[in-house]
Amino acid sequence: MSGVLHLVSVGPGFDDLIAPRAVAALQASDVIVAYELYLRWIGPHVEGKEIHTPPLTQERERALLAIEKARGGATVALISSGDIGIYAMAALAFEEMGEDDTYTVNVIPGITSANACASLLGSPLSHDFATLSLSDLLCPWDWIELRARHIAQADLACVMYNVQSAGRQQGVYRVLQLMLESKAPHTLCGVVKNAYRPGQEVSIHRLDELPLLKFDMLTTIVVGNRFTKRKRGFIYTPRGYNDWSDGETAAPRDVLPQGAAWVFSGTSDGNALANALAESFPVVVSAATEHGGALAANPKLTVWAGRQGVEARRQALVASGARVLVDATHPYATVMSEQLVGLARELSIPYLRYERASDYAPADGVWRATPELAAQTAIASGQRIFLATGSKDLATYLQAPGAQDKQWFLRLTADPELIERALALGVPRERICAMQGPFSSAFNEALWRDWQIDCVVTKDSGAAGGYGAKVAAARALGIALVVQGRPALVYPRMAGSLDAVFAQLRELGIA
């Protein structure tokens, strides 16, 4: 009597997500071979059957056992969660079966982890995407890094499986860093734990927030692409048919001036520098947003604005024959600065960092080197805490130990995405001031008095970021001020004033 081997997919974890064909295969089988966890949701369909449950790490033994039973004439169901043909047992079964085996083989598809997690997040996989397992048990780690790098450079949406285990803690953070090298830091992502199982957790983050999180083998990470958007607590990636516009105002490559100085600007200081340089030679000013591009607008400047990735910047710099790269991004935009240093080195373009000196004085308030330390100090100092630190480190402050016992108030740029992030972190709408700064001391004083703020956290952002006005307002109200220090980076060249920029450009033979 010839046996039957059903390779059965049982989906993410709920009985009602198992395909009817899979249920029929389970019911028709004499022998069930599965990891014990799967019995929790297939139990009603396998009562009274011969059941074998080798441990999690004995996948090959499970496959061999199922094949042995099928060769003996039994009808066997070899079980995998998700889809048995994706990072699962089907391949092992095919590896171990013989060409001369006569038992019947049926492969029954199911809802994958990628499908399940995407459904909980919204619709992030509506265009091209890749899946990537971070387990190096069956694949060399350098292959995983190479694939991650290409996924990021192609700006594909991506689903990461086998994210972190007890013996493999750091790999995911290396892959996330590779993603950040080519994808924009604000790329929307989802983290799902125990999809459609007890203990389910779903959260949405920016890509640059993921390195701060902890994961495990029950977690799946979904990384969007440059088009991924947020709406009503979900994320989705537009299908893109007929309209690939993403709101960028970047100058087309063929109109970029040749031999221009490139100024990557993220502050009013940067825009002022670009305008000054434009009096001497062609300048391209790159800003992260359309609003930033508008602020930098000048008939003598070429504006390259929008949410560009590393590859787009590399191509534009090469195509335009950039003569110098001036990094005038925000003092706290460390990921961007590191990318620009790397691009300048790779392309042999002179690099110059332009950053005003710190305005901090010990009398201003308590200085803390990191957002984690600043959060700890603020939580110990006040009850109604105002964050004037922007959007990047919101999660660090709002999820710090003891943060849940405080009342948090925010000031953010009036960007719907940033406001959605704050709301998702639990900040009530009535505690969010959505306006574009900088603000006067009088404005700060009135706002903090009305909100009864007793502690303010700010960055050491200099005059361009309204630092002095915040110090003056906090002093006038007699409230605690915590200053989050600037990140410490080593730059190849640095200038702290317009005169110093021109002096260094002369040394480089450019000005």
Side-chain angles (χ1 to χ4, degrees):
M1 177 180 173
S2 179
V4 178
L5 177 59
H6 295 302
L7 302 176
V8 183
S9 310
V10 296
F14 286 171
D15 179 70
D16 59 359
L17 294 178
I18 303 176
R21 184 173 295 187
V23 172
L26 294 174
Q27 294 173 341
S29 297
D30 307 311
V31 179
I32 305 296
V33 182
Y35 174 47
E36 188 172 13
L37 173 67
Y38 307 154
L39 299 180
R40 295 181 185 177
W41 65 91
I42 67 171
H45 308 300
V46 298
E47 290 180 358
K49 301 181 185 296
E50 179 183 334
I51 298 176
H52 299 270
T53 57
L56 179 63
T57 56
Q58 297 183 15
E59 287 88 353
R60 193 170 297 276
E61 288 79 358
R62 268 184 266 155
L64 288 168
L65 176 58
I67 289 170
E68 178 188 348
K69 294 289 184 179
R71 285 172 177 162
T75 299
V76 184
L78 177 62
I79 312 298
S80 272
S81 62
D83 185 289
I84 198 166
I86 299 178
Y87 301 126
M89 295 295 301
L92 281 174
F94 280 108
E95 282 182 20
E96 297 298 337
M97 68 178 64
E99 189 67 51
D100 56 351
D101 280 334
T102 59
Y103 51 82
T104 300
V105 178
N106 295 316
V107 182
I108 301 169
I111 297 174
T112 69
S113 177
N115 296 146
C117 294
S119 72
L120 293 170
L121 291 165
S123 185
L125 306 181
S126 299
H127 212 281
D128 298 337
F129 69 94
T131 62
L132 181 67
S133 171
L134 304 192
S135 173
D136 58 357
L137 293 178
L138 300 176
C139 179
W141 180 256
D142 57 343
W143 292 15
I144 295 171
E145 285 199 12
L146 179 65
R147 292 166 182 175
R149 185 176 286 108
H150 286 306
I151 288 169
Q153 289 173 350
D155 196 27
L156 290 171
C158 177
V159 183
M160 297 186 200
Y161 285 66
N162 304 315
V163 169
Q164 196 172 48
S165 66
R168 181 171 40 81
Q169 291 287 306
Q170 296 305 312
V172 61
Y173 301 113
R174 171 61 180 155
V175 168
L176 291 173
Q177 185 59 46
L178 292 174
M179 291 283 164
L180 281 164
E181 287 180 4
S182 294
K183 287 178 172 282
H186 57 263
T187 301
L188 290 170
C189 305
V191 177
V192 181
K193 182 175 180 178
N194 288 316
Y196 293 102
R197 297 180 187 177
Q200 174 180 290
E201 298 177 11
V202 181
S203 56
I204 295 171
H205 306 269
R206 289 165 47 116
L207 178 58
D208 60 359
E209 293 174 338
L210 296 186
L212 302 175
L213 305 181
K214 296 291 185 182
F215 309 103
D216 58 28
M217 285 293 286
L218 300 176
T219 300
T220 301
I221 297 174
V222 179
V223 178
N225 66 19
R226 68 191 299 182
F227 297 98
T228 304
K229 304 178 185 299
R230 183 170 188 159
K231 184 179 289 186
R232 296 188 61 192
F234 294 97
I235 57 174
Y236 70 98
T237 301
R239 293 177 67 182
Y241 296 123
N242 302 320
D243 181 12
W244 282 95
S245 170
D246 63 349
E248 292 181 356
T249 58
R253 188 182 305 174
D254 59 357
V255 301
L256 291 172
Q258 292 296 302
W262 277 69
V263 177
F264 287 82
S265 179
T267 66
S268 58
D269 279 346
N271 291 342
L273 171 64
N275 283 298
L277 292 176
E279 298 299 322
S280 302
F281 38 72
V283 172
V284 177
V285 60
S286 174
T289 66
E290 184 176 352
H291 179 72
L295 292 176
N298 176 327
K300 294 184 178 181
L301 296 173
T302 299
V303 176
W304 201 69
R307 296 173 172 179
Q308 313 289 347
V310 170
E311 185 57 32
R313 288 191 282 274
R314 178 183 291 110
Q315 293 180 13
L317 288 167
V318 171
S320 67
R323 66 196 300 186
V324 65
L325 190 162
V326 182
D327 175 8
T329 57
H330 196 278
Y332 291 79
T334 53
V335 172
M336 174 61 77
S337 288
E338 288 170 347
Q339 290 179 1
L340 295 177
V341 170
L343 278 174
R345 183 183 302 115
E346 172 193 339
L347 301 176
S348 299
I349 300 171
Y351 170 96
L352 175 60
R353 171 66 180 171
Y354 174 53
E355 181 179 319
R356 295 281 189 181
S358 167
D359 287 339
Y360 173 76
D364 296 345
V366 180
W367 185 92
R368 291 291 180 260
T370 67
E372 291 79 10
L373 292 174
Q376 179 181 335
T377 301
I379 289 168
S381 302
Q383 186 64 34
R384 297 169 68 86
I385 304 170
F386 184 89
L387 291 180
T389 52
S391 61
K392 180 183 176 183
D393 299 313
L394 277 182
T396 301
Y397 284 97
L398 300 177
Q399 295 174 352
Q404 70 277 6
D405 299 325
K406 305 298 178 177
Q407 297 179 61
W408 296 90
F409 299 78
L410 314 179
R411 185 159 60 205
L412 300 170
T413 302
D415 182 323
E417 180 184 316
L418 302 183
I419 296 169
E420 283 289 337
R421 283 181 60 204
L423 295 173
L425 288 167
V427 181
R429 290 181 183 274
E430 62 271 18
R431 296 184 191 166
I432 300 174
C433 174
M435 297 180 69
Q436 180 71 39
F439 303 93
S440 68
S441 175
F443 182 94
N444 290 329
E445 193 174 333
L447 179 64
W448 299 344
R449 182 186 295 109
D450 286 350
W451 271 351
Q452 298 179 321
I453 301 300
D454 55 11
C455 180
V456 172
V457 186
T458 182
K459 290 180 175 177
D460 177 13
S461 51
Y467 175 77
K470 285 177 273 192
V471 171
R475 186 174 294 141
L477 294 171
I479 59 180
L481 183 74
V482 180
V483 181
Q484 179 186 321
R486 296 183 183 183
L489 285 183
V490 178
Y491 300 102
R493 280 179 173 265
M494 190 166 179
S497 68
L498 292 179
D499 289 343
V501 168
F502 279 97
Q504 296 228 24
L505 291 179
R506 284 192 293 272
E507 286 182 21
L508 293 168
I510 295 170

